[in-house]
Amino acid sequence: MWQATARRWFVYAVLLTWSAICILPIFWVVLASLKSEDAIIHGPRYLPFIDFVPNLDAWRFILFDRAENLRRPLLNSLFISAIASGIVIITACMIIYAATRIPNRTRIKNLWLLWATQATRVLAPVTIVIPLYQMAQLAHLLDTQLILILVYSAVNLPVAIWLLLPVFGNRATEQEESAMLEGCSHAYVLRHILMPMVVGNIASVALIVFTLCWNEYLFAAYLTTDHASTLTPWM
């Protein structure tokens, strides 16, 4: 009995230690945001109101400074990343379903096309940013949210296809076949049968795509200046 108790407490101690290690950088960043320049330079100081007097000057500068503030880039990043991620996931699901479920003479060709799209992700973004800039300039889309949504969607679509293809599989499941026998359309099967079965995987891929859009720097730096600038180049 005591061995099981000791083992349990050992596991708790290890988890608590690892949690503290993971939380420490976040704790340090929060503390730094509440310190004055003098407290940061002449550190380390860890305890508010004991080692240093906290203040909100940094937050006031970031959020409310008229010359430069965080709100517009933050909202741009949230909006652009969310819309682009939604477009990518919906498009990827429809492409994979059409290529793997709908029988036609070019099904094998479609499967090869899905895998071939992954090669586009290997291409360095710096090689295409100048042509994209010229096209955006001709279309009068520079410094707009629309150009970033279109570019992020196109760039990250191969990633979503690559990650979702093993999830969807190369053939219809028994549930899908039963629904088709009952007269359901492909759109109904995709929306109400297949996607609910793999909703967890779709959410995980959506989070990955959102992170890729959120962290994108090069396209945002070249294609936007002020109005549609995102958080990454602003920082």
Side-chain angles (χ1 to χ4, degrees), residues 139-173:
H140 303 287
L141 291 177
L142 285 177
D143 198 24
T144 63
Q145 296 175 338
L146 178 59
I147 185 62
L148 289 185
I149 291 174
L150 294 176
V151 172
Y152 289 0
S153 300
V155 169
N156 291 301
L157 181 59
V159 178
I161 294 176
W162 178 51
L163 294 175
L164 287 175
L165 186 56
V167 175
F168 279 54
N170 293 326
R171 64 187 65 177
T173 62

Side-chain angles (χ1 to χ4, degrees), residues 12-22:
Y12 288 162
V14 172
L15 293 177
L16 183 62
T17 303
W18 182 248
S19 299
I21 293 174
C22 295

Side-chain angles (χ1 to χ4, degrees), residues 28-215:
W28 182 265
V29 170
V30 173
L31 279 187
S33 71
L34 299 176
K35 293 179 181 179
S36 62
E37 293 184 11
D38 182 71
I40 293 176
I41 295 173
H42 300 89
R45 302 177 181 181
Y46 304 100
L47 302 177
F49 300 104
I50 298 177
D51 291 339
F52 67 94
V53 179
N55 63 75
L56 298 176
D57 291 344
W59 288 96
R60 189 178 300 109
F61 168 75
I62 290 175
L63 296 176
F64 302 107
D65 186 82
R66 292 186 177 182
E68 188 172 6
N69 61 73
L70 179 70
R71 286 173 294 176
R72 175 178 287 181
L74 177 61
L75 293 177
N76 284 337
S77 291
L78 287 172
F79 178 78
I80 294 171
S81 300
I83 298 299
S85 300
I87 294 174
V88 167
I89 293 301
I90 294 174
T91 307
C93 290
M94 292 190 296
I95 290 175
I96 296 174
Y97 183 88
T100 59
R101 264 67 172 183
I102 300 178
N104 54 57
R105 296 180 180 180
T106 60
R107 179 176 177 181
I108 301 299
K109 181 181 178 180
N110 289 339
L111 289 175
W112 279 106
L113 180 62
L114 293 184
W115 288 109
T117 56
Q118 311 319 315
T120 61
R121 190 63 189 180
V122 184
L123 189 66
V126 70
T127 61
I128 61 175
V129 68
I130 300 301
L132 285 175
Y133 179 89
Q134 293 177 339
M135 288 187 290
Q137 188 177 38
L138 292 174
H140 303 287
L141 291 177
L142 285 177
D143 198 24
T144 63
Q145 296 175 338
L146 178 59
I147 185 62
L148 289 185
I149 291 174
L150 294 176
V151 172
Y152 289 0
S153 300
V155 169
N156 291 301
L157 181 59
V159 178
I161 294 176
W162 178 51
L163 294 175
L164 287 175
L165 186 56
V167 175
F168 279 54
N170 293 326
R171 64 187 65 177
T173 62
E174 294 181 358
Q175 294 87 339
E176 295 175 64
E177 293 176 349
S178 299
M180 293 299 295
L181 289 175
E182 294 293 333
C184 297
S185 64
H186 287 292
Y188 183 91
V189 172
L190 174 63
R191 173 64 181 86
H192 297 282
I193 304 298
L194 181 58
M195 293 184 67
M197 293 171 57
V198 293
V199 64
N201 302 87
I202 293 176
S204 300
V205 175
L207 181 60
I208 294 174
V209 173
F210 182 88
T211 304
L212 292 174
C213 295
W214 181 276
N215 292 332

